[in-house]
Amino acid sequence: MTPQDFLADRFQGHRPHLKAVAYRMLGSLSEAEDAVQEAWLRLARSHSGDIDNLGGWLTTVVGRVCLDMLRARKSRREESLEERLPDPMISRADAADPEQEVLLADSVGLALLVVLESLTPAERLAFVLHDMFGMPFEQIAPIVDRTPTAAKKLASRARLRVRGATPNPDPDLSSQRRMVDAFLAAARDGDFAALVSILNPDVTLRADGGTLTGGMRVIRGAAAVAGQLATFQRMATSATTHPALVNGLAGLVNTIGDELISVMSFTVSDGRIATIDILSDPDRLAQLDLTHLKP
């Protein structure tokens, strides 16, 4: 084995962790892969023999790459990912893919990723690296050009935003699935009262249809969300619904024939549906590889 092959083999051992970091930072699977690839290119050009802690070095590099990507995203005047749902991670309801289990080790649902999109790039990096991956602020500080104390304040501000805006999912997947099944039953029957009864009073619906619908629509409140019952009924009666895990939570993949028409994620908290996230953008759905969902 050549030294380059040995280095590539070591890098591959860190790839799942690096992609998990980048996915939380960027909310985009393709951009996360780009960030990880850039880390490999920088490693290949470096004097790797001088690196004592390869995992820490690579995490730092990916953090810096993601920070630059977030800052570039913020500065562009074109459509921002803040106005889109993050890319969903989809796995079978009865068996998660091993790589996806690494990516979603802390159940980073779409609702959490949406909130992370609202943070500044520096806040997001400090929160993700410290709160999700346990990196000390002494290592985070140089990445964001701050002191450790200032980096700690960034994470603290982010933590307050996250805790105040994201419901805690009920841990029992079978309970989550019962609520999703109840949602489907109410939708198919056109039962407004039944639908309202399973929704949290402050439920949030985010529906991203891309250019077809002018971007993401956000609807809040049980009555307003249940007011979309006609749309839910059309989906439930015209499409084939496939139970799935979407970012580790109970969800649905909806198809008509062989065509994927939407992916739905539900956050069930305290026994009621607290968030519904629907991705129906044809361009983004076409980029999803769902072959692993087939029996």
Side-chain angles (χ1 to χ4, degrees), residues 199-218:
L199 298 176
N200 183 292
D202 299 318
V203 63
T204 297
L205 167 68
R206 287 177 286 259
D208 183 355
T211 56
L212 288 179
T213 59
M216 187 164 72
R217 296 174 58 221
V218 181

Side-chain angles (χ1 to χ4, degrees), residues 14 30 45 51 79 89 93 107-108 115 117 119 126 129 134 143 157 165 198 201 209 221 226 249 287 290:
H14 292 284
S30 61
R45 295 193 298 262
I51 301 173
E79 181 186 0
M89 288 293 301
S107 295
V108 56
V115 176
E117 296 283 2
L119 305 176
L129 291 185
I143 306 176
R157 287 204 300 269
I198 61 173
L249 302 176
Q287 298 173 19
L290 302 183

Side-chain angles (χ1 to χ4, degrees), residues 42 56-57 59-61 63-65 67-68 71 122 125-126 129 135-152 154:
R42 295 189 187 187
W57 188 91
T59 301
T60 296
V61 170
R64 285 179 173 147
V65 171
L67 189 62
D68 289 342
R71 286 170 172 166
L125 182 137
L129 291 185
M135 181 178 281
F137 290 116
E138 288 75 16
Q139 294 180 31
I140 295 171
I143 306 176
V144 291
D145 296 321
R146 306 282 211 287
T147 65
T149 299
K152 186 175 182 179
L154 286 172

Side-chain angles (χ1 to χ4, degrees), residues 7 10 43 45-54 57:
L7 187 63
R10 292 184 66 198
L43 176 62
R45 295 193 298 262
S46 71
H47 299 288
S48 57
D50 298 332
I51 301 173
D52 294 327
N53 179 355
L54 182 60
W57 188 91

Side-chain angles (χ1 to χ4, degrees), residues 7-84:
L7 187 63
D9 189 60
R10 292 184 66 198
F11 177 82
Q12 288 300 323
H14 292 284
R15 178 182 282 276
H17 165 78
L18 298 176
K19 190 172 180 181
V21 171
Y23 177 59
R24 285 158 179 74
M25 283 292 299
L26 301 168
S28 164
L29 292 169
S30 61
E31 288 188 351
E33 193 60 49
D34 289 344
V36 173
Q37 184 62 21
E38 177 62 24
W40 160 246
L41 294 175
R42 295 189 187 187
L43 176 62
R45 295 193 298 262
S46 71
H47 299 288
S48 57
D50 298 332
I51 301 173
D52 294 327
N53 179 355
L54 182 60
W57 188 91
L58 287 169
T59 301
T60 296
V61 170
V62 164
R64 285 179 173 147
V65 171
C66 290
L67 189 62
D68 289 342
M69 294 172 77
L70 286 175
R71 286 170 172 166
R73 183 192 293 174
K74 290 282 188 181
S75 66
R76 289 196 299 263
R77 293 184 179 273
E78 61 197 52
E79 181 186 0
S80 168
L81 283 180
E82 291 176 351
E83 300 165 354
R84 298 166 30 167

